[in-house]
């Protein structure tokens, strides 16, 4: 087992910098997720680690062994690296049975027949696919193929495990099951793993740490809690979970509390560790679940502020209501157990827990 | 997991010698040698005063002037151009009409007619010419019949017009195939829009469908023009007796049949031809770049609603049946029939002339039997070797990190620009030049080598699209798991490519089996193939034996196509 160090990785496709100065250190046995929108460079990063694409700059080492070094021109071909990569498409070889697929990496390593048989049985049992050993890939469901692909990679005990959206081809139900199963497997095996996904639930529930990527760059690197509760910028806040963004101006600062003036002139108070100076333009970000409908007659106080909004639409989404609101021209999303009555809703917003970003952002959806 | 023999995390190939390096460079070198072999001697010879192997030969530019001053050379060029242009017009007209009628209308029996329309593509123009001769020639069946009814027949195959019709008909399938895959055929939306807005059938055809087919028509026109320039068989059979010489027959006359060939002149004429064809192939590439945008790939588009021909359905049907019978079915049938008779004429009852004598001669004369066995060996063995080579080229070009893969791709496709006659002359020089290759020079292996070079692009055309359909993840997965490029190629890619290789082998077998234009410059006594024997026998006037040999070729190709289709589901065109 080994740790993985990526330093200053750059990969260009013509003019496009698909991966732009990415540095990640994955500790031995750690499970790190690359998360980001489509085309942000996740697969390219993974391919660089596996040796499928030669990067342009940077350095990749696994357990002290140099895989790639741009300045020295070191480049190990994929077959000399010993990584394990599970493809989004699974890439099972259609002309081989499940057992043959799994046997292939062992044959390459000249593992003796008896030993090979034992290890194939062992790994197929691990992924609960033993009864299917003699089937061909096209006779398997998507979920089963995914397990075989994983087995084929685990069987040779790779130094690090790279998973490229392994669950994205499964339907919602199967995906949930596969995620739980993967989480169990992960604690059992304790492999150094990079997991690629654009599904935030997978990222949050499986990872030790998450790397959020945006157009080839690292937007934030941290634990799931860090990322969710303290997003580094509006992009991360928007990408992880649902976030409301309100443009505002700092009206005044006193004792770690900033008074903000919203677009339509209403005022809210926010606790801020490093409050911006008065007059600055800021963006207020908070999760729908952080606010609630204010009780009748409730007003602003030291705990939170009350703001008035207009109801645009409401829809029932099973057990709860999603309400689209308008606040001085800006949209807001609210989740409530009972639908609001009337056109106006008064909201209560806590003084702490919301985040202030400097400047005006246009991320808001 | 528990105990193992291999250390966990260890790669399968820790710093092993990169085997792909010698393999890839070796293949690239082989392809370069193959393609350069006929070209370099020709270009060199065209600048020499004497023969290539003559020590006293000096460098000169005089050959070009001598060629230009050769008597009748201007006429040769004009004839060449005229024949190519006319045959292109004929091919484009029939091909386009067939594409619209068989592909887009409710013509009865369109599918079967479409199949019959493709016949000439599987036959060599040589065999088709013999077929036409036996029907429309001076003593042809239909000609004699016409004469007995109406007097002098109004057609004459021994003219540029007659040759253009034969050549055009044999090239029409190409235009047909390209038009079929054009946007005008496969994108229904534009057409539907026109119809919804009240445009009638023929108006829509004329204003919408045809313009959408223009890129395909233009591309296949350049292709057919190129083929028309390279054509040897038709002018050799019909042009020479009438004194109409084109560039290919000019080359043939001054080299293969000349007792003391003027090598400087031969090489210069060949070089001239090469330059023209290279330009045309370059033009094809440019046009194809434009066509791609109009071609709907992969048959994803739904087939549009066919046009209704209404009352014209049956008249059109009659015309189409007449066309495929007159141009393909009848000539081939007549040729086969001729093989089983001593003489064929509408005046004499068939029963009186039926005989197996032609085949007895084929069986008795060693030269014929040898040409048939040689053809089989060249095609069976040669196509196998060529398929292996082409599979490797395709894998290196499309599935490797080989540094010069683009250059290799370009080189491998270059033979498209080398006409058969030029390849034949070029390989002849190459083998005359290199000492120690005498053994190959007088054997069938020189043919195998020349044919292989000629048909690399054809084979790649069959392999590459299917290879590109194999997901790159499949070989990348093998690489990550520890297989080097060569192991991946053998264990993963080769089995996955099997259908592509079978298709490639079938196409190459047919191409090798019917090839003659390269061979007539290269064969020696003992290394005849059917194509060369056909021409030689034709010159001797043994029409019955020619028909017998041609019939054998037709039957072998038909069996090969049917088997490939039935067993492997191979698609041989498109
Ligand atoms: N072979 C290539 N040639 C050119 N551009 C490429 C190539 N591969 C990737 N790119 C570009 O690099 C960028 C990053 O691609 P990448 O596949 O890493 O995205 P991703 O984060 O994995 O996206 P997804 O979630 O859709 O899989 C994209 O803009 C893509 O268009
Ligand atoms: Mg990806």
């Amino acid at each position: 087992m080994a740790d993985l160090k990526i330093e200053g990785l750059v990969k260009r496709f013509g003019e496009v910098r698909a991966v732009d100065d990415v540095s990640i250190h994955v500790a031995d046995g750690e499970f790190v997720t690359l998360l980001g929108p489509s085309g942000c460079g996740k697969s390219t990063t993974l391919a660089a680690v596996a040796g499928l694409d030669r990067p342009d700059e940077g350095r990749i080492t696994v357990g002290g062994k140099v895989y790639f070094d741009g300045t020295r021109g070191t480049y190990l071909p994929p077959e000399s690296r010993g990584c394990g990569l599970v493809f989004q498409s699974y890439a099972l070889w259609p002309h081989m049975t499940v057992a043959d697929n799994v046997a292939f990496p062992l044959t390459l390593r000249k593992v003796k027949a008896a030993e090979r048989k034992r290890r194939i049985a062992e790994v197929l049992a691990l992924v609960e696919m033993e009864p299917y050993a003699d089937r061909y890939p096209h006779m398997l469901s998507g979920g089963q193929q995914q397990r075989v692909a994983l087995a084929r990679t685990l069987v040779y005990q790779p130094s690090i495990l790279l998973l490229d959206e392994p669950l994205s081809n499964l339907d919602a139900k199967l995906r949930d099951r596969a995620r739980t199963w993967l989480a169990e497997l992960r604690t059992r095996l304790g492999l150094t793993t990079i997991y690629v996904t654009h599904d935030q639930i997978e990222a949050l529930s499986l990872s030790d740490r998450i790397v959020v990527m945006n157009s080839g760059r690292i937007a934030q690197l941290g634990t799931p809690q860090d990322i969710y509760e303290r997003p580094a910028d509006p992009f991360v806040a928007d990408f992880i979970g649902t976030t409301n963004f309100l443009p505002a101006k700092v009206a005044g600062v006193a004792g770690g509390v900033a008074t903000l003036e919203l677009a339509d002139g209403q005022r809210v108070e926010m606790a801020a560790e490093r409050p911006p100076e008065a007059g600055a333009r800021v963006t207020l970000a908070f999760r729908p679940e952080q606010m609630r409908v204010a009780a009748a007659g409730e007003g602003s106080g030291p705990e939170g502020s009350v703001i008035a909004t207009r109801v645009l639409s409401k829809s029932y989404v099973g057990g709860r209501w999603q309400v689209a609101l308008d606040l001085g021209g800006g949209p807001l999303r609210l989740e409530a157990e009972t639908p609001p009555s009337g056109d106006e809703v008064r909201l209560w917003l806590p003084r702490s827990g919301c985040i202030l970003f400097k400047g005006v952002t246009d991320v808001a959806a | 997991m528990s105990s193992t023999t291999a250390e966990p995390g260890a790669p399968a190939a820790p710093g092993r010698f990169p085997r792909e390096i010698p393999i890839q460079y070796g293949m690239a070198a082989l392809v370069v040698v193959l393609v350069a072999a006929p070209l370099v001697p020709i270009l060199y010879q065209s600048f020499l005063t004497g023969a290539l192997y003559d020590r006293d030969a000096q460098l000169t530019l005089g050959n070009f002037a001598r060629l230009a001053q050769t008597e009748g050379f201007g006429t040769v060029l004009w004839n060449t151009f005229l024949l190519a242009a006319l045959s292109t017009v004929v091919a484009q007209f029939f091909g386009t009409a067939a594409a619209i009628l068989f592909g887009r209308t409710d013509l009865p029996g369109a599918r079967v007619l479409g199949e019959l329309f493709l016949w000439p593509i599987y036959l060599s123009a040589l065999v088709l010419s013999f077929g036409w001769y036996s029907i429309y020639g001076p003593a042809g069946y239909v000609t004699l019949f016409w004469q007995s009814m109406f007097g002098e027949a109004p057609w004459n195959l021994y003219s540029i017009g007659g040759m253009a019709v034969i050549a055009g008909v044999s090239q029409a399938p190409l235009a047909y195939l390209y038009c079929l895959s054009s946007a005008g055929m496969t994108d229904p939306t534009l057409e539907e829009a026109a119809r919804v807005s009240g445009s009638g059938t023929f108006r829509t055809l004329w204003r919408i469908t045809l313009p959408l087919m223009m890129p395909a028509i233009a591309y296949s026109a350049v292709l057919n023009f190129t083929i028309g320039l390279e054509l040897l068989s038709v002018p050799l059979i019909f042009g020479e007796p009438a004194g109409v010489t084109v560039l290919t027959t000019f080359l043939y006359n001054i080299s293969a049949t000349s007792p003391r060939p003027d090598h400087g002149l031969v090489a210069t004429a060949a070089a001239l031809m090469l330059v023209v064809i290279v330009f045309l192939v370059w033009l094809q590439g440019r046009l194809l770049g434009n066509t791609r945008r109009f071609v709907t790939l992969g048959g994803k588009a739904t087939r549009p609603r066919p046009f209704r021909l209404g009352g014209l359905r049956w008249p059109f049907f009659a015309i189409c049946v007449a066309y495929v019978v007159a141009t393909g079915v009848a000539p081939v049938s007549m040729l086969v029939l001729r093989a089983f008779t001593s003489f064929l004429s509408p005046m004499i009852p068939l029963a009186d002339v039926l005989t197996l004598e032609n085949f007895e001669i084929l069986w008795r004369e060693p030269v014929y039997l040898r040409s048939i066995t040689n053809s089989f060996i060249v095609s069976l063995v040669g196509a196998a070797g060529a398929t292996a080579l082409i599979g490797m080229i395709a894998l290196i070009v499309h599935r490797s990190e080989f540094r010069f893969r683009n250059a290799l791709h370009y080189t491998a496709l270059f033979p498209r620009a080398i006409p058969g006659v030029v390849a034949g002359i070029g390989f002849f020089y190459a083998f005359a030049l290199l000492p120690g290759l005498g053994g190959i020079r007088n054997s069938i292996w020189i043919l195998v080598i020349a044919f292989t070079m000629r048909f690399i692009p054809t084979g790649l055309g069959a392999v590459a699209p299917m290879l590109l359909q194999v997901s790159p993840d499949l070989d990348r997965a093998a690489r990550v798991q520890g297989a080097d490029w060569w192991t991946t190629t053998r264990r993963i890619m080769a089995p996955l490519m099997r259908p592509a290789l079978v298709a490639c082998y079938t196409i190459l077998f047919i191409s090798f089996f019917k090839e003659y234009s390269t061979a007539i410059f290269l064969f020696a006594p003992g290394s005849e193939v059917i194509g060369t024997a056909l021409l030689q026998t034709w010159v001797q006037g043994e029409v019955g034996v020619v028909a017998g040999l041609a019939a054998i070729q037709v039957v072998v190709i038909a069996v090969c196509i049917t088997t490939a289709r039935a067993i492997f589901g191979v698609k041989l065109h498109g």
Side-chain angles (χ1 to χ4, degrees):
Chain A
M1 255 183 278
D3 67 328
L4 162 68
K5 253 194 210 134
I6 302 175
E7 294 158 80
L9 190 72
V10 174
K11 172 72 192 175
R12 296 184 208 95
F13 289 111
E15 290 292 291
V16 187
R17 288 169 88 93
V19 174
D20 191 0
D21 194 18
V22 162
S23 301
I24 306 167
H25 184 183
V26 184
D28 191 359
E30 198 184 15
F31 192 108
V32 167
T33 297
L34 300 185
L35 178 67
S38 192
C40 71
K42 308 181 295 284
S43 298
T44 310
T45 309
L46 225 51
V49 175
L52 293 172
D53 270 328
R54 192 182 177 129
D56 294 299
E57 288 167 34
R59 198 178 137 88
I60 301 172
T61 50
V62 169
K65 186 164 146 191
V66 181
Y67 279 7
F68 171 74
D69 191 329
T71 47
R72 289 216 216 120
T74 317
Y75 175 75
L76 276 190
E79 61 267 25
S80 307
R81 296 192 178 196
C83 300
L85 173 57
V86 175
F87 290 80
Q88 188 170 353
S89 60
Y90 308 143
L92 297 180
W93 299 304
H95 61 294
M96 298 183 183
T97 61
V98 166
D100 291 341
N101 263 280
V102 179
F104 185 75
L106 297 180
T107 323
L108 290 173
R109 285 165 178 75
K110 305 200 167 47
V111 176
K112 300 248 165 30
E115 165 81 357
R116 199 163 65 214
K117 237 175 118 182
R118 190 183 62 71
R119 278 169 70 174
I120 293 170
E122 193 178 80
V123 79
L124 285 182
L126 181 75
V127 299
E128 296 157 28
M129 285 296 293
E130 249 178 329
Y132 301 92
D134 294 326
R135 295 226 192 157
Y136 283 91
H138 68 93
M139 302 153 107
L140 302 177
S141 73
Q144 292 167 335
Q145 290 185 24
Q146 180 241 341
R147 285 163 187 234
V148 176
L150 195 59
R152 190 178 65 176
T153 301
L154 292 176
V155 76
Y156 60 92
Q157 301 174 324
S159 51
I160 49 170
L161 184 59
L162 309 168
L163 305 166
D164 193 353
E165 309 202 25
L167 307 186
S168 66
N169 280 343
L170 308 181
D171 65 45
K173 265 245 171 66
L174 207 54
R175 223 174 144 125
D176 274 351
R177 283 229 306 276
R179 200 177 59 229
T180 322
W181 176 79
L182 212 61
E184 277 172 30
L185 201 66
R186 146 178 156 50
T187 23
R188 198 125 57 94
L189 300 177
L191 276 172
T192 309
T193 306
I194 298 194
Y195 186 91
V196 162
T197 182
H198 52 230
D199 183 308
Q200 43 164 314
I201 311 224
E202 276 169 32
L204 292 170
S205 61
L206 287 171
S207 325
D208 293 322
R209 283 189 302 155
I210 295 177
V211 180
V212 184
M213 292 184 66
N214 183 18
S215 25
R217 296 181 151 268
I218 295 185
Q220 188 172 4
L221 200 165
T223 62
Q225 283 87 349
D226 274 344
I227 303 268
Y228 192 82
E229 290 164 15
R230 287 174 291 282
D233 62 25
F235 170 82
V236 178
D238 187 48
F239 194 76
I240 311 277
T242 318
T243 302
N244 288 309
F245 292 97
L246 288 177
K249 207 172 78 182
V250 179
V253 182
V257 174
T259 306
L260 307 179
E261 190 181 298
L262 301 179
D264 61 352
Q266 296 192 68
R267 290 188 168 215
V268 290
E269 288 183 339
M270 285 295 133
E273 280 168 30
R274 280 169 286 126
E277 70 273 23
R281 299 221 154 263
V282 292
T283 301
L284 176 61
F286 54 95
R287 308 274 179 196
E289 66 265 22
Q290 284 178 293
M291 61 185 181
R292 60 173 167 81
V293 178
E298 190 176 358
S300 298
E303 290 295 307
S305 321
V306 171
I307 47 176
T309 60
R310 230 160 41 76
V311 176
L312 290 177
S313 68
K314 51 196 170 189
S315 50
Y316 184 65
V317 291
R320 53 212 289 114
W321 290 78
Q322 255 174 20
V323 188
L325 303 169
D326 174 78
L327 191 141
L332 270 185
R333 255 179 299 177
L334 170 74
E335 298 216 332
E337 268 159 32
T338 50
S341 53
D343 288 347
E344 297 261 316
V345 179
R346 284 172 5 101
L347 293 176
W348 182 86
L349 210 56
R351 181 177 283 186
S352 61
C354 299
I355 305 163
L356 283 186
F357 294 117
K358 290 212 172 80
V360 185
T361 174
D362 55 0
V363 182
Chain B
M1 272 175 289
S2 54
S3 72
T4 51
T5 44
E7 191 190 328
R16 194 158 56 191
F17 174 74
R19 286 189 288 182
E20 61 269 21
I21 299 285
I23 297 172
Q24 292 168 350
Y25 277 92
M27 286 315 263
L30 181 62
V31 171
V32 169
V33 167
L34 258 185
V35 174
L39 299 184
V40 174
I42 284 187
L43 293 177
Y44 184 47
Q45 171 74 74
S46 66
F47 291 104
L48 285 184
T49 49
L52 202 54
Y53 39 79
D54 189 348
R55 289 185 169 259
D56 302 330
Q58 307 276 312
L59 280 176
T60 177
L61 285 172
N63 291 331
F64 294 89
R66 278 203 301 131
L67 182 67
Q69 285 154 15
T70 303
E71 205 189 317
F73 191 65
T75 322
V76 166
L77 289 184
W78 172 243
N79 286 343
T80 310
F81 169 80
L82 206 60
L83 177 59
L86 286 179
S87 60
T88 305
V89 170
V90 173
Q92 297 314 103
F93 174 77
F94 287 123
T96 312
I100 291 177
L101 281 171
F102 303 154
R104 288 297 289 111
T105 68
D106 59 351
L107 190 81
R111 225 180 55 80
V112 177
L113 284 170
E115 287 288 317
L116 292 176
F117 190 83
L118 286 175
W119 267 29
I121 226 179
Y122 304 122
L123 303 170
S124 68
L126 195 59
V127 166
L128 207 66
S129 302
F130 295 143
W132 277 63
Y133 171 85
S134 64
I135 291 195
Y136 309 110
Y141 204 82
V142 171
T143 314
L144 290 181
F145 186 71
W146 183 284
Q147 276 170 2
S148 70
M149 306 286 282
F150 317 107
E152 193 65 22
W155 60 82
N156 176 16
L157 292 183
Y158 291 81
S159 66
I160 291 219
M163 290 193 276
V165 170
I166 304 177
V169 161
S170 77
Q171 289 162 33
L174 269 182
Y176 170 69
L177 287 174
Y178 276 96
C179 289
L180 265 192
S181 62
S182 73
M185 285 292 141
T186 45
D187 183 2
T189 46
L190 295 165
E191 224 172 71
E192 296 286 332
R195 282 197 232 184
V196 169
S197 61
S199 176
T201 295
F202 290 96
R203 222 178 118 84
T204 310
L205 269 177
W206 188 250
R207 300 287 300 276
I208 306 290
T209 310
L210 206 56
L212 280 172
M213 284 164 71
M214 271 331 280
I217 297 176
Y219 173 73
S220 51
V222 178
L223 197 64
N224 274 333
F225 186 77
T226 316
I227 296 174
L229 291 183
E230 298 179 20
L231 194 63
L232 176 64
S233 59
V234 178
L236 201 56
I237 292 169
F238 298 110
E240 283 309 295
V244 181
T245 304
V246 296
L247 201 48
T248 48
T249 42
F250 175 78
L251 270 167
Y252 181 71
N253 291 340
I254 62 171
S255 62
T257 57
S258 166
R260 284 189 53 94
D262 180 340
H263 293 291
L265 216 54
V266 171
T268 310
L272 174 75
M273 180 153 189
L274 189 66
V275 169
V276 173
I277 304 284
V278 166
F279 167 76
L280 285 170
V281 167
W282 172 82
L283 189 65
Q284 286 168 26
R286 290 289 305 267
L287 282 174
L288 191 61
N290 295 335
T291 339
R292 280 273 155 74
R293 285 186 281 131
F294 294 90
V295 174
T296 22
L297 292 170
K300 242 185 279 165
T302 50
R303 202 152 194 73
R305 203 154 46 89
F307 286 108
R308 287 178 191 288
L309 291 172
L312 290 173
R313 250 182 119 205
W314 293 103
F316 269 123
F317 175 72
I319 294 172
C320 292
V321 170
Y323 175 89
V324 295
V325 168
T327 62
V329 177
V332 172
S333 316
M334 197 57 71
L335 194 62
V336 174
L337 193 60
R338 180 66 184 82
F340 289 95
T341 52
S342 54
F343 188 75
L344 207 52
S345 158
M347 295 13 141
I348 305 169
L350 194 60
D352 293 356
V353 288
L354 276 180
T355 173
L356 284 176
E357 202 198 326
N358 294 324
F359 292 98
E360 274 165 33
I361 297 176
L362 288 182
W363 182 251
R364 221 173 37 225
E365 298 278 332
V367 60
Y368 297 129
L369 202 55
R370 205 161 54 219
S371 75
I372 296 169
T373 8
N374 281 345
S375 270
F376 270 106
I377 297 173
V378 165
S379 309
L380 287 170
V381 180
T387 302
L389 174 72
I390 288 163
M392 285 298 295
I393 297 172
L395 278 169
I396 294 173
V397 167
H398 296 292
R399 290 301 173 83
S400 83
E401 299 97 62
F402 182 50
R403 188 123 74 90
F404 303 107
R405 58 181 185 274
N406 288 333
L408 174 62
H409 196 194
Y410 188 83
T411 314
L413 289 179
F414 193 79
R416 278 186 309 172
I418 309 178
V421 281
V422 175
I425 294 171
F427 271 110
F428 179 81
Y429 284 148
F431 279 86
L433 200 59
L434 292 175
L437 289 176
I440 295 182
R441 196 165 127 206
N442 290 324
S443 73
I444 55 172
W445 303 112
I446 188 173
L447 300 182
V448 169
I449 292 170
F451 291 3
T452 301
M453 188 283 290
R454 282 264 286 149
F455 293 107
I456 289 174
T458 312
L460 274 181
V463 172
M466 290 203 218
L467 179 60
L468 292 178
Q469 279 176 8
V470 176
S471 160
D473 283 357
L474 292 177
D475 41 336
R476 285 155 71 107
R479 295 295 300 278
V480 173
Q481 291 182 11
D484 66 0
W485 181 81
W486 183 232
T487 306
T488 307
T489 294
R490 280 180 306 134
R491 299 283 306 276
I492 307 293
M493 293 314 287
L496 291 176
M497 279 171 73
R498 197 175 301 147
L501 295 177
V502 171
C504 178
Y505 182 77
T506 313
I507 291 171
L508 289 182
F509 176 86
I510 296 172
S511 306
F512 280 31
F513 202 77
K514 63 184 203 186
E515 175 66 10
Y516 60 89
S517 60
T518 319
I520 55 170
F521 296 92
L522 295 175
F523 81 98
S527 65
E528 303 90 348
V529 287
I530 292 183
T532 58
L534 275 172
L535 273 171
Q536 281 184 311
T537 320
W538 178 261
V539 173
Q540 294 156 12
E542 304 264 6
V543 181
V545 179
V546 168
L549 271 176
I552 289 174
Q553 196 186 80
V554 168
V555 168
V556 168
I557 289 175
V559 167
C560 175
I561 291 171
T562 323
T563 322
R565 280 206 180 152
I567 300 181
F568 306 109
V570 169
K571 208 173 151 237
L572 294 173
H573 52 73

